Amino acid sequence: MRQYSSLRRNLTGYAFISPFIIGFLGFTLIPMFVSLYMSFTSYNLFTSPRWIGLDNYTKMFFDDPKYWNSVKVTFLYVFIGVPLRLIFALFVAMILNTGSRMVGTYRTLYYLPSIIGGSVAVSIMWRNLFSNEGVINSALTAIGIGPISWFGDPNASLVMLISLSVWQFGSSMLIFLAGLKNISPEMYEAAGVDGANPIRKFFGITLPLLSPIILFNLIMQTIGAFMTFVPAYIISKGEGGPMDGTMLYSLYLFRQAFMFNNMGYASAMAWIMLIMIGILTVAVFLTSKFWVFYESEGGK
Amino acid sequence: MVKKAIFLVMAALLVLTTACSSSGGSGETSGDGSVTLRIAWWGSDSRHEYTQKVIDLYKEKNPNVKIDVEYASFDDYWKKLAPQAAANQLPDIVQMDISYISQYAQNGQLEDLSPYLGNQIKVDDVSENVISTGIINSKQYGVPAGVNVLGFQYDPALLKKAGVDAIPENMTWESYEELGKQTAAKGLFLDGGVAPDIFFHYFLRTKGLSLYNAEGTGLGYDDDKLFVEFFGLMRRMIEQGAAPSPDVANQTKGIIEESDLVKEKGIGVWQWSNQFVALQQVANRPLAFAPMPGPDMEKGLYMQPSMYWAVTSNSKVKEEAAKFIDFWVNDVEANKLIKGERGVPISGKIKEAIAPELSDATKQVFDFVASMEPKASPMSPPPPVGSPEVIASLADVVEELNFGKVTPEQAAATFRKNAEAVLANNK
């Protein structure tokens, strides 16, 4: 009898969370496995999928220079963009932590780009800022460096894309700010009594105590950066140009799927991306024991 | 009790899953004789506005017809259409682009309109060269909504400033290059660079060839020297300063306001005739047309449907759909609203009837198209399945070539390898 009623109670619970479960099954889990199946087929949306075994994967690895180019561009974007973004976020967080006037307003303002972050509107704004007669080029001309062809030069266009990602530092900044607030002022006072200068305080106290938060930010931002799509799509008008300089992995995947209708190939790309992100995340976790410091462990 | 709960959950599941699939049934005739048509197109805001007006006019004249509309930008349109096609839920009437019509036709998504021609759709005033552009594998899968023709659109005043009185009559590629040298000497671009696929295809046609072979299983030319000849010329134009370098061109790509012609840094552009009106509007000074370079311009030139109207095979009201297409082709009042925005009307009578209503720029377009129509040859078959990928690959290699990263010979070989790999899937 007791078992029966607990089952009944659970069923009610399941009924209440069923919207999530159905959504998860219908829109996440099942599509994931369908895409795994698709990745072994040739499928163009119109005719039924045709099983081709590992052909998509062998083409990707051995016969598609554009694929490797997109991997290269994405790694550049992630490995330059994410550290810069985190350093910048920490820098701003520390300034905002000093408690000067109107600090609340500044926090809000700096966070704003993240709320609208990744959106189409921001990307269009970025495009305008960097256009031929945009603000950036006018400023550069004024100090005599001359206009740079941001959309024409393959290297410059990636710099522009990274700068957009650095500018959207708000969410990591807020998390850093919360972490900074958690460091007790007594530590700094004690260090001050011992004669530590601000630089020593930063490396001796702030960084170690913040390291769990850095780890969190690093992983979340890296995963996010790998999946960046909207800015590259809008800024390059969906073409990833010039010379594939802004052809991020997800943009190339999108082009294969929705412009060339190579759904099978795109599915294979998606799975490799999942594996790459997985490996990278595990690697960061493995290194973390050398540099992340948890107070509760009493200094390791 | 348990059974009841399970039943409830299962019922809820069923409702949720079927709710997604039951909507969107296309084209029903209901009991009271009223018909609902679904129609989809892509375009700009101004196109959406007048298209809606044309549809309202049609509904006024046919009170039994209801029309549901779906419209989007070009990119989004195809992303919406592909899943609808996969689910057999396409609208009754779809606007088709030349680069996609083969794919939709060959996959059985479109209806052969031949039985409707002359019945529901009157084509007495349409030239054979024009209506035949909708034929794929001897079936009429599309009716052109209007036609375009390639030409040089330029600023005569600026050309004079460069010390040239007029575009040479019967221009050849050599005189075109010479002209480029003259304008470059005055610091002016002759043209803004060309869309590689369109103009290389034109160039091949002048040699009696085509970009794709007739079956769509490979390229339509065997000699890579032709690639080298054409794109070598284009690169020389850039090197001489007669066309913008790719980094400059990329910066302004797709923005008419920033184009060289509008900024009086460039004399003209090679493009489709329907693009003239917008260019003229932004430039806000008199512009003119000149024909394509030769030799054998007549062989290369063709009337291209700006887009097609097509009826889908999953439509349940194909006759009604055909009647709407007829309205588009033959109704004077409707065409006074359209004003040739989807290309010059295909019916000769309509062209005459709406002539007094046109703006000066549109009139220029109509005149140019009329002067080219007798010279044009039949169009090559619409591009085969996979052509968007082939065109993207061509754009890539041409960009590398124009940046000077590869030689024309290397570019020709790379393009052939990539294109043949894609087109081999059609075998």
Side-chain angles (χ1 to χ4, degrees), chain B residues 28-342:
Chain B
E28 306 288 340
T29 319
S30 59
D32 56 355
S34 74
V35 177
T36 306
L37 281 176
R38 269 171 72 215
I39 176 169
W41 71 88
W42 74 83
S44 59
D45 283 343
S46 60
R47 180 179 292 171
H48 303 329
E49 266 170 43
Y50 82 76
T51 307
Q52 188 60 58
K53 281 186 198 155
V54 174
I55 287 168
D56 291 342
L57 184 69
Y58 186 77
K59 287 199 285 196
E60 222 171 82
K61 293 188 174 183
N62 302 274
N64 64 321
V65 179
K66 285 195 202 117
I67 298 182
D68 294 336
V69 300
E70 294 170 21
Y71 52 79
S73 69
F74 186 81
D75 283 350
D76 291 338
Y77 182 79
W78 299 105
K79 274 175 247 153
K80 268 168 71 175
L81 221 55
Q84 286 183 342
N88 261 328
Q89 301 230 330
L90 285 171
D92 302 287
I93 306 173
V94 287
Q95 185 174 308
M96 263 291 141
D97 185 62
I98 189 156
S99 58
Y100 286 90
I101 193 167
S102 297
Q103 182 163 23
Y104 280 81
Q106 280 170 22
N107 287 308
Q109 305 286 350
L110 303 182
E111 184 71 8
D112 179 13
L113 290 172
S114 325
Y116 301 91
L117 290 188
N119 298 315
Q120 283 85 0
I121 308 172
K122 302 266 185 297
V123 286
D124 310 337
D125 305 311
V126 184
S127 105
E128 189 56 39
N129 252 356
V130 169
I131 193 74
S132 68
T133 57
I135 295 176
I136 299 159
N137 300 335
S138 61
K139 289 197 175 124
Q140 185 83 39
Y141 284 115
V143 172
V147 288
N148 290 321
V149 72
L150 287 174
F152 188 56
Q153 300 165 19
Y154 69 104
D155 179 345
L158 208 55
L159 187 69
K160 283 218 172 68
K161 228 167 140 189
V164 183
D165 285 337
I167 301 281
E169 199 123 332
N170 296 325
M171 181 161 55
T172 62
W173 294 107
E174 287 83 42
S175 51
Y176 165 69
E177 195 175 354
E178 276 309 307
L179 197 60
K181 279 181 192 156
Q182 281 173 276
T183 63
K186 294 272 156 70
L188 289 165
F189 294 131
L190 176 58
D191 71 53
V194 299
D197 55 316
I198 298 169
F199 289 88
F200 184 44
H201 178 59
Y202 166 83
F203 178 75
L204 290 170
R205 280 177 53 96
T206 62
K207 312 273 179 198
L209 299 162
S210 171
L211 188 54
Y212 305 103
N213 65 18
E215 300 80 33
T217 53
L219 291 176
Y221 66 99
D222 292 324
D223 190 354
D224 278 343
K225 270 191 197 140
L226 293 165
F227 185 105
V228 173
E229 189 185 337
F230 182 75
F231 288 110
L233 168 66
M234 292 300 141
R235 185 165 142 182
R236 285 202 300 282
M237 293 290 284
I238 293 170
E239 285 163 354
Q240 288 157 6
S245 60
D247 57 333
V248 177
N250 261 325
Q251 187 87 352
T252 56
K253 188 158 68 184
I255 312 166
I256 304 183
E257 286 78 3
E258 287 197 14
S259 68
D260 298 317
L261 186 143
V262 170
K263 298 198 147 173
E264 304 196 51
K265 284 188 284 187
I267 288 171
V269 277
W270 297 101
Q271 59 181 5
W272 293 108
S273 51
N274 66 328
Q275 293 169 295
F276 182 79
V277 178
L279 183 67
Q280 159 90 76
Q281 233 163 36
V282 176
N284 202 17
R285 56 183 193 273
L287 302 180
F289 273 103
M292 292 293 294
D296 293 320
M297 182 195 81
E298 283 79 3
K299 266 160 74 185
L301 204 67
Y302 58 99
M303 310 303 290
Q304 156 140 316
S306 53
M307 54 204 73
Y308 302 94
W309 289 117
V311 176
T312 57
S313 21
N314 65 276
S315 167
K316 297 190 181 91
V317 285
K318 295 181 179 113
E319 277 191 29
E320 287 297 330
K323 280 184 204 161
F324 179 83
I325 294 177
D326 177 69
F327 181 73
W328 195 274
V329 174
N330 291 311
D331 190 90
V332 176
E333 273 178 72
N335 276 284
K336 281 181 180 167
L337 293 167
I338 302 164
K339 291 197 173 79
E341 194 273 338
R342 278 179 166 89

Side-chain angles (χ1 to χ4, degrees), chain A residues 4 66 132-133 151 239, chain B residues 1 251 253 263 396 399:
Chain A
Y4 173 75
K66 282 187 74 113
N132 257 351
E133 285 157 17
F151 305 104
E239 291 176 4
Chain B
M1 207 49 208
Q251 187 87 352
K253 188 158 68 184
K263 298 198 147 173
D396 280 345
E399 194 174 31

Side-chain angles (χ1 to χ4, degrees), chain A residues 8 67 104 107 164 279 284:
Chain A
R8 201 178 129 194
Y67 172 79
R107 273 176 214 163
L164 173 58
I279 290 174
V284 172

